[in-house]
Amino acid sequence: MSQIKSPRVVSKEEWLQARKAHLKNEKALTRMRDLVARERRELPWVKMEKEYVFDTLEGKKTLAELFGTNSQLVIHHFMFGPDWKAGCPSCSLEADHAEGAIVHLANHDVSYVRVSRAPLEKLEAYRRRMGWTAQWVSSQGSDFNFDFQVSFAREDIEAGRLYYNYQAIEDPKYFSEELPGLSVFYRDESGAVFHTYSSYARGNEEVIGAFVYLDITPKGRNEKEIMDWVRRLDEYNVSPAEAVCHTC
């Protein structure tokens, strides 16, 4: 962990003045976030013409069937390739946060499903390891991940032909068979499905509350590269139980 360099210690009055000045920027950011959220809701939709089929614990299901009884669907494109032994640590961090939100989403007409290319048995084993409850389906053998630009053929990686986050990727350190994303869909009363939104890379940070907590601390995220500190929840030196104050 890095050390805080030469903090400026001032009187309470000086601190309050600085804090109020910073509050103006925080309020501006809040208003901008509201504006961006409104623009996002007003984006045009694309009707899904291609039928995708996924492996689920209840058998084969189409994209439309993943909605369940809700009209809105959030898909977490979880990085877990067919040959991988475990899921991506960063995607796991995002999944940890989603677990607490699922009941609230379900009661607001939103279904949440994770999709990966790994076989269903691998996904289920990892889900049990992490203690998650959300539905997780396999898109193995489907074009779904490739069409939504979160999975890439090896020949394209070797040729440097990756298109991700709405642009060509030139930095080799981001060349991977799997990359993260979130996609949102709407199903109307006739059963037609529409793609309404997708975000990639750091665009997914809004749903990861740990970032917000870290960002209000003096050391911040304490990272040399994006998310280099992230571990799976059972790989940290201190477990959640040990981190709890037992004198409270």
Side-chain angles (χ1 to χ4, degrees):
M1 291 292 181
S2 63
Q3 297 297 315
I4 300 173
K5 296 181 180 179
S6 303
R8 186 165 63 95
V9 179
V10 299
S11 67
K12 185 174 181 179
E13 290 72 21
E14 288 180 271
W15 177 88
L16 186 58
Q17 184 178 6
R19 179 64 187 93
K20 286 183 175 180
H22 178 61
L23 182 60
K24 293 180 181 179
N25 287 334
E26 287 183 331
K27 287 185 175 181
L29 178 60
T30 298
R31 290 190 290 270
M32 178 57 71
R33 185 181 296 113
D34 290 342
L35 171 63
V36 170
R38 185 169 62 251
E39 288 181 344
R40 183 185 299 125
R41 292 191 297 271
E42 294 172 353
L43 286 171
W45 297 358
V46 175
K47 186 176 182 180
M48 300 293 294
E49 303 290 355
K50 191 172 184 178
E51 185 170 274
Y52 299 101
V53 179
F54 305 87
D55 290 325
T56 83
L57 291 178
E58 293 78 34
K60 300 285 187 180
K61 285 188 177 182
T62 64
L63 180 62
E65 291 172 324
L66 295 184
F67 283 76
T69 58
N70 296 316
S71 69
Q72 301 170 103
L73 172 66
V74 173
I75 287 210
H76 178 191
H77 300 289
F78 193 111
M79 295 168 63
F80 199 149
D83 301 326
W84 293 17
K85 294 181 179 179
C88 163
S90 299
C91 289
S92 298
L93 175 68
E94 183 175 327
D96 290 338
H97 288 76
E99 287 293 311
I102 290 172
V103 63
H104 304 285
L105 297 177
N107 283 277
H108 206 68
D109 194 28
V110 179
S111 294
Y112 169 91
V113 178
R114 297 186 185 110
V115 176
S116 302
R117 286 199 303 136
L120 188 60
E121 56 269 23
K122 277 190 177 183
L123 303 182
E124 276 300 295
Y126 189 68
R127 182 184 65 81
R128 290 191 296 269
R129 171 186 164 185
M130 296 291 103
W132 297 332
T133 61
Q135 183 179 13
W136 201 349
V137 304
S138 173
S139 60
Q140 190 175 32
S142 162
D143 293 332
F144 184 77
N145 281 48
F146 297 98
D147 289 349
F148 281 86
Q149 297 159 351
V150 290
S151 294
F152 308 91
R154 290 183 181 178
E155 53 267 30
D156 289 334
I157 296 173
E158 292 170 357
R161 294 193 301 261
L162 265 67
Y163 187 84
Y164 178 68
N165 200 16
Y166 309 105
Q167 61 184 340
I169 299 297
E170 299 178 355
D171 191 339
K173 72 179 180 180
Y174 294 112
F175 287 8
S176 172
E177 290 183 45
E178 308 290 332
L179 287 171
L182 283 172
S183 288
V184 182
F185 302 88
Y186 182 85
R187 185 182 62 188
D188 68 15
E189 293 181 357
S190 72
V193 175
F194 301 85
H195 176 218
T196 68
Y197 180 73
S198 284
S199 68
Y200 305 96
R202 294 193 66 184
N204 300 343
E205 288 190 2
E206 289 284 320
V207 300
I208 304 180
F211 288 155
V212 181
Y213 282 108
L214 291 173
D215 286 346
I216 65 174
T217 65
K219 290 185 178 180
R221 301 187 191 184
N222 195 38
E223 57 190 11
K224 294 180 180 178
E225 292 188 9
I226 294 175
M227 301 181 81
D228 61 2
W229 53 274
V230 175
R231 303 291 181 272
R232 298 177 182 89
L233 56 82
D234 60 356
E235 294 176 339
Y236 286 106
N237 293 329
V238 178
S239 69
E242 292 171 330
V244 172
C245 174
H246 296 289
T247 60
C248 297

